[in-house]
Every structure is written in structure tokens, then in C-alpha cells.
Amino acid sequence: EISLGLVGSEMCIRDSEKRSASATAVSDSVLLEISQSSFQQIMIDNFDLAKNLISALAERIRNLTNTIQNES
């Protein structure tokens, strides 16, 4: 579940691969669509934002790894 202020689909904006997931809003939501080129420029211009996104992705990978290890 993605809550207020969290990012979804950040994986597909970095490469040209098809999305590997879908999402359904459970309440009224405001979404922002950013093109790949705009996203890349935002990451270049905002080191702290890029660092925070990398940290969030690392945490998701860590959580997925723990989930997989616990299910084995």
C-alpha cells in the first residue's frame, strides 16, 4: 500500500521496460505524471531527492529480500 507522499512506479521511469505492477486507488487521489527525461533532469538537479529515492529503493529491496527469505 502506498500512502500520502510515497512514490509508485519509480522503477519504470528509469528504463524503457514495461511496468511490472499496477495500482488501484482506494480513495480520491492526486497523481503526477513525469516524463523520463524530466525525471532524469530532476535527479541531476536535486541530489538530496536522488539520494532519498535511492534509499527508498534500497529499503524496498531489503524488505523484498527478507520476505523471500522468510517464505523459503
Side-chain angles (χ1 to χ4, degrees):
E1 182 174 317
I2 297 175
S3 59
L4 178 64
L6 292 181
V7 175
S9 301
E10 65 281 347
M11 298 289 286
C12 71
I13 202 164
R14 187 58 205 115
D15 58 31
S16 299
E17 295 294 319
K18 283 188 149 193
R19 293 176 46 112
S20 60
S22 61
T24 302
V26 295
S27 62
D28 290 345
S29 303
V30 177
L31 307 176
L32 174 65
E33 181 179 355
I34 303 173
S35 70
Q36 187 177 33
S37 61
S38 293
F39 177 77
Q40 290 171 350
Q41 191 61 50
I42 290 167
M43 293 295 104
I44 290 168
D45 294 342
N46 297 279
F47 175 75
D48 288 339
L49 180 63
K51 186 174 65 171
N52 288 340
L53 181 58
I54 291 167
S55 294
L57 290 172
E59 182 177 352
R60 287 186 188 186
I61 291 169
R62 203 171 16 259
N63 290 340
L64 286 170
T65 301
N66 289 337
T67 299
I68 290 167
Q69 289 175 343
N70 291 335
E71 289 179 0
S72 298

